[in-house]
Amino acid sequence: MPIGHDALVEAALQIEAPETSLPAPAGWTEPYDSELGDIVHEIENADLEETLSDIDSSANLYDKTAFRMGGRLLRVKREGWFAPYSSFNEWLEKGKGIRRARAY
């Protein structure tokens, strides 16, 4: 079962740098040289100006992404595209690892 977003972010933030030779934190599924590892490295090494600029652009992107995800989830539910699970909620939580409260 995939680990939740919060756990993945917490694990990612515990990494000192992508090139570290330390073992990956528990639950970490991405190699350090992955896109996610690169993002963690960028976050940890950004200055104030870059951080504030990224917050502004990310907030807009987040809104668009949340809207898109909500529409996609609604379509799966409406069309009944959750096989082999017996319900949308089961597909959501067991099949995709998304908490029901987060999807609604």
Side-chain angles (χ1 to χ4, degrees):
M1 172 179 287
I3 63 174
H5 175 266
D6 295 341
L8 187 58
V9 169
E10 181 63 31
L13 291 175
Q14 292 177 14
I15 298 170
E16 293 180 20
E19 56 273 352
T20 184
S21 60
L22 296 172
W28 182 263
T29 59
E30 298 284 330
Y32 286 147
D33 62 348
S34 69
E35 183 178 354
L36 186 56
D38 292 345
I39 292 170
V40 171
H41 183 73
E42 288 175 23
I43 291 168
E44 292 298 317
N45 292 289
D47 62 17
L48 175 61
E49 183 179 330
E50 187 177 1
T51 298
L52 295 178
S53 175
D54 191 47
I55 288 171
D56 291 340
S57 61
S58 294
N60 187 35
L61 180 60
Y62 176 81
D63 290 341
K64 289 178 183 178
T65 301
F67 182 79
R68 180 178 286 117
M69 177 67 94
R72 298 288 191 197
L73 291 173
L74 180 62
R75 181 124 193 253
V76 167
K77 184 177 182 178
R78 186 180 63 219
E79 300 292 337
W81 292 342
F82 41 79
Y85 298 94
S86 62
S87 70
F88 172 74
N89 289 337
E90 184 182 15
W91 171 82
L92 189 65
E93 293 179 357
K94 293 181 180 177
K96 296 299 174 191
I98 300 172
R99 291 185 321 262
R100 184 174 167 216
R102 184 173 176 215
Y104 286 96

